[in-house]
Amino acid sequence: TGAPEGDPFQGHSNGVNSVAFSPDGERIVSGSFDNTVRVWNARTGAPEAFQGHSYHVTSVAFSPDGERIVSGSLDNTVRVWNARTGAPEGDPFLGHSNVVTSVVFSLDGERIVSGSYDNTVRVWNAGTGAPEGDPFQGHSDFVTSAAFCPDGERIVSGAYDNTVKVWDAGTGAPEGDPFQGHSDFITSAAFCPDGERIVSGSWDTTARVWNARTGAPEGDPFQGHSEEVNSVAFSPDGERIVSGSGDNTVRVWNAWTGAPEGDSFREHSDHVTSVAFSPDGERIVSGSFDNTVRVWNARTGAPEGDPFLGHSNVVTSVVFSPDGERIVSGSRDNTVRVWSTQNGKCQLH
C-alpha cells in the first residue's frame, strides 16, 4: 500500500544523515544536520535528543550490546552517549582536525574506529575516549569510510585518494600496499562477513572486490553502472553484493565472478543513495533522491509492493531491523521513519 499511518518521528530541525537500529530492534538512533543525536522508541516513536555536538552529525551507530551510541560530527569530534538516558559518557574524543565522516564500534564494544576529512583513521578506547596509538596516516585525501573486520583485528578505510587501505587495528600499521584500481573517489568500503574479502564502491562507476589479506583485486571491476556507485554491501552469506548508484539503479552481483545477477532494479527515478540486504539475504532495501524507500526481491529484482511514500526530501540512509520485520529510513526532510516490510506502511515518523 505504501500509505503512511500514524505520527513523533519528528523532532530534528534539519536533515537526517544517518540511522541505525539497536541490536534488540527496540530503539532507533538518528544523527542530523541540526547537530543532535536522537534515540527513538521503535514502537512508539517517542524521541530523546542527545545534545552536545556543535555542528552537523554525520554518522551514528549502536554498541553491540545496545547500551551506548557513538556519533561523529562536522565539529571534528567523536562522542559516546548512554543509549538509555542520552547522557554523554565522558568528554568528546578530541584528535581529528577536520570533519568526522564515519564511526563504528568493534564487535566486542571495546573500541571505536573513526574516519575523517583530516585524511586519517583513528581508534579510540570506547570507555575512556583515549586514542589507542597514533592516527593511521597514509591516505592523501578525505577518508569517507572506516570499519572493523568482524574479528576486530583489522580495519578497512576508503578515501578520496581513490584507494582502499587495510590497517592493523592494534598498531595502526598498514597491512600491505594500498588497494589501487579505482580511478575516482571511494564512497563505501566493507568487509565480507568472513573477513577475507573487501568490497568498495567508487565515483568511477564501478564496484570492486579485493583479497583482504593481499590487496589483490579478485577479478575485474563490476561494470554496469553508468554513474557513481554510492553504496555497496555484501549479502549475509558473502555470496552476493548489492550496489546503489547515481544512475538511479540497484544492482546485485555474484561476489565471486562479478557477473550481474539479473537485470538492474530500475524503479527509482533519481540517484540511489543507500542499499542494504535483509538479515536473511532475501530482500534488499534502497533509498533515493526520489524521496522513496523501496524493497526488492533480492533474487529476481522484482519490487515487493509499492514504493514507501512519506518522505518529502532525499532519503539518505536505510537499514533493516535485526529481525527483518521493519525498515528505518533517514531523510533530508529532517525525519526518521519506520516502515513495516510486510505491507510498506509507515509505522512511525
Side-chain angles (χ1 to χ4, degrees), residues 220-349:
D220 296 324
F222 296 8
Q223 295 182 319
H225 286 300
S226 58
E227 296 290 342
E228 81 281 357
V229 176
N230 293 314
S231 181
V232 290
F234 275 99
S235 60
D237 63 6
E239 296 296 313
R240 291 166 294 156
I241 287 163
V242 63
S243 59
S245 169
D247 66 9
N248 308 352
T249 71
V250 175
R251 284 182 174 263
V252 175
W253 315 81
N254 182 300
W256 299 101
T257 67
E261 297 209 338
D263 297 327
S264 54
F265 304 2
R266 294 185 172 272
E267 298 295 325
H268 282 298
S269 59
D270 209 334
H271 293 196
V272 177
T273 58
S274 181
V275 290
F277 275 96
S278 61
D280 64 5
E282 295 303 313
R283 291 165 296 163
I284 287 163
V285 63
S286 58
S288 169
F289 269 48
D290 67 10
N291 305 352
T292 71
V293 175
R294 283 184 175 267
V295 174
W296 315 81
N297 182 302
R299 304 290 179 182
T300 67
E304 297 207 340
D306 296 322
F308 298 4
L309 302 176
H311 284 300
S312 59
N313 206 330
V314 173
V315 177
T316 55
S317 183
V318 291
V319 68
F320 278 93
S321 62
D323 63 7
E325 294 300 311
R326 290 167 292 160
I327 288 163
V328 64
S329 58
S331 169
R332 290 184 187 172
D333 68 7
N334 310 345
T335 69
V336 176
R337 285 177 180 263
V338 177
W339 315 81
S340 164
T341 58
Q342 301 303 314
N343 57 27
K345 289 187 175 181
C346 182
Q347 298 177 321
L348 296 165
H349 64 92

Side-chain angles (χ1 to χ4, degrees), residues 84-274:
R84 304 287 177 182
T85 67
E89 297 209 339
D91 295 323
F93 298 7
L94 302 176
H96 283 300
S97 59
N98 207 333
V99 173
V100 178
T101 57
S102 181
V103 290
V104 69
F105 278 92
S106 58
L107 285 182
D108 63 6
E110 296 298 314
R111 293 167 296 161
I112 290 163
V113 63
S114 58
S116 170
Y117 275 10
D118 67 9
N119 306 354
T120 72
V121 174
R122 283 182 174 263
V123 174
W124 314 82
N125 181 299
T128 67
E132 297 211 338
D134 295 323
F136 299 7
Q137 295 182 318
H139 283 299
S140 59
D141 209 333
F142 297 163
V143 176
T144 57
S145 183
F148 280 99
C149 181
D151 66 7
E153 296 300 314
R154 291 165 293 154
I155 287 164
V156 64
S157 60
Y160 273 17
D161 63 10
N162 307 353
T163 71
V164 174
K165 285 179 175 283
V166 174
W167 315 81
D168 182 300
T171 67
E175 297 209 339
D177 296 323
F179 299 6
Q180 295 182 318
H182 283 299
S183 59
D184 211 332
F185 300 159
I186 309 293
T187 57
S188 183
F191 276 99
C192 181
D194 67 6
E196 294 304 312
R197 290 168 293 155
I198 288 164
V199 63
S200 58
S202 169
W203 278 24
D204 68 8
T205 76
T206 72
R208 282 181 174 263
V209 173
W210 315 81
N211 182 302
R213 303 289 180 181
T214 66
E218 298 212 337
D220 296 324
F222 296 8
Q223 295 182 319
H225 286 300
S226 58
E227 296 290 342
E228 81 281 357
V229 176
N230 293 314
S231 181
V232 290
F234 275 99
S235 60
D237 63 6
E239 296 296 313
R240 291 166 294 156
I241 287 163
V242 63
S243 59
S245 169
D247 66 9
N248 308 352
T249 71
V250 175
R251 284 182 174 263
V252 175
W253 315 81
N254 182 300
W256 299 101
T257 67
E261 297 209 338
D263 297 327
S264 54
F265 304 2
R266 294 185 172 272
E267 298 295 325
H268 282 298
S269 59
D270 209 334
H271 293 196
V272 177
T273 58
S274 181

